[in-house]
Amino acid sequence: MAHLTSILDNDFYKFTMQFAVSKLFPKAKARYEFINRGKHTFPEGFDKLLREAIETMAQLKLTKAEKQFLREKCPYIDPTYLDFLQGYHYDPDEVKIEQIDGELKVCVEGYWYRTILWEVPIMSLICELYYQANKLNRVSNAEVCQIVEDKMVKYDKLHITIADFGTRRRHSYEVHDLVIQTLKKHPSKTFIGTSNVHLAMKYETTPIGTHAHEWFMFHAAKYGYKMANLLGLEHWADVYRGDLGIALSDTYTTKVFFTQFDKKLSKLFDGVRHDSGDPLVFAQMTIDHYKQKGIDPRSKTIIFSDGLDYEKVEKIVKFCDGKIGYSFGIGTDFTNDVGLPRMNIVLKMVEAKPEDGEWTEVIKLSDEPNKHTGTSKEIHIAKEILKIEA
């Protein structure tokens, strides 16, 4: 059955955020909940399979070789954090799992600096166990590799750079491993790295990522919606001093983000990440923003990472070429293109408790309304405060 073999089998931004959280908000707490966007039905006993897989994660430890890899690849991370990570272990008691008929409930609660690592591995385990428990057969290993190879031949012609962002909704660890192996062997400079730190180490490539929506969601809980983007980016810059300079823009809509992305931050950050809404509309907004701040957009980069496939990427390249820098993070189209329906699931922070604060509901207002998370009441309050039209 599915289980993880390395503590680094996770997205890079989980570790970069964990370092920042342990430094700035060591007493904050968080709650996360599983959201079944695709309305998948889970077979009887699935909760027990997931519980078994999660219990085994308590045994995972950072090895000396893994610590050395992080030390060499991430000079901007303090050695004190690497020592902390070496002593860290998953605590399965932080995870509550329930199943009622075909409906699965997963909740995570504890100190934010600890619970932050659960989201991605739990999602990847849910996906892998779902396919196993339903006895759904995928294409062969040779076909998995050929599908990736065929895509890369097309991507090469666009003269772009691509990273793998597919850990959370991969078909399985085995498929993900085959994908990175194929990308690494492919004879071009198109593939530049993966968000999966374990596979980056295994295949001697670069771990890629910065921060996620929860960073800004927590800042909203602590400082209010109007200050969330600004203080989130200021605090990120305080920790990383110019490294890891791609800003996530759509936690409270891109329009609101750009009102708070002032000239200092626009110059300091290398670019922005697109994760929802029309990518061409986003690209034009970003170009206009930089021009308005007196910054040449061609000196900045947009990382596109929202449900990409070749057709979308080709359109984006045609639109952006010569106007602004661009790169692509491709997820499930690499790691779950195996002849089966892809899962549509998330595990999101739903409440945060800042130090000396109360448990506070957190939400996400993406540029794509279907991607909003949180209660309708809190979403309405946030829209009022941020003057977002319904």
Side-chain angles (χ1 to χ4, degrees), residues 259-329:
T259 64
Q260 299 168 347
F261 197 47
D262 63 17
K263 189 163 188 174
K264 171 190 159 183
L265 293 169
S266 297
K267 284 192 163 187
L268 177 62
F269 280 80
D270 302 322
V272 292
R273 178 157 77 90
H274 170 261
D275 197 49
S276 65
D278 187 319
L280 306 190
V281 171
F282 176 86
Q284 191 59 57
M285 279 176 75
T286 306
I287 290 162
D288 293 345
H289 172 80
Y290 282 126
K291 283 181 175 173
Q292 190 218 333
K293 299 292 180 196
I295 297 165
D296 183 350
R298 292 170 300 179
S299 69
K300 299 295 181 180
T301 300
I302 301 175
I303 309 291
F304 292 93
S305 63
D306 179 31
L308 297 176
D309 55 26
Y310 178 79
E311 284 68 31
K312 277 190 188 175
V313 170
E314 187 183 33
K315 276 184 194 164
I316 292 165
V317 170
K318 279 181 181 168
F319 184 84
C320 292
D321 203 38
K323 300 177 192 169
I324 193 165
Y326 47 84
S327 186
F328 299 89

Side-chain angles (χ1 to χ4, degrees), residues 119-182:
E119 175 194 351
V120 176
I122 288 178
M123 284 177 64
S124 64
L125 286 169
I126 288 172
C127 287
E128 184 161 357
L129 289 166
Y130 177 83
Y131 294 117
Q132 283 180 2
N134 283 304
K135 296 183 170 57
L136 300 170
N137 295 321
R138 62 172 173 85
V139 299
S140 69
N141 287 359
E143 285 173 283
V144 169
C145 298
Q146 193 58 53
I147 288 165
V148 174
E149 186 62 32
D150 292 346
K151 285 175 183 173
M152 288 305 286
V153 169
K154 290 170 78 176
Y155 284 131
D156 287 345
K157 291 173 184 165
L158 296 177
H159 307 292
I160 57 175
T161 53
I162 283 175
D164 152 58
F165 280 12
T167 303
R168 62 190 53 222
R169 285 183 284 265
R170 66 192 183 193
H171 170 273
S172 58
Y173 173 81
E174 184 181 26
V175 166
H176 199 177
D177 189 67
L178 286 167
V179 167
I180 303 302
Q181 193 178 37
T182 309

Side-chain angles (χ1 to χ4, degrees), residues 2-4 48-57 125 129:
H3 67 281
L4 271 64
K48 292 178 181 63
L49 296 176
L50 183 59
R51 170 53 69 190
E52 283 170 26
I54 281 171
E55 290 294 335
T56 67
M57 288 173 65
L125 286 169
L129 289 166

Side-chain angles (χ1 to χ4, degrees), residues 352-363:
K353 187 177 185 294
E355 183 182 355
D356 301 327
E358 302 297 320
W359 279 107
T360 305
E361 190 182 335
V362 297
I363 61 160

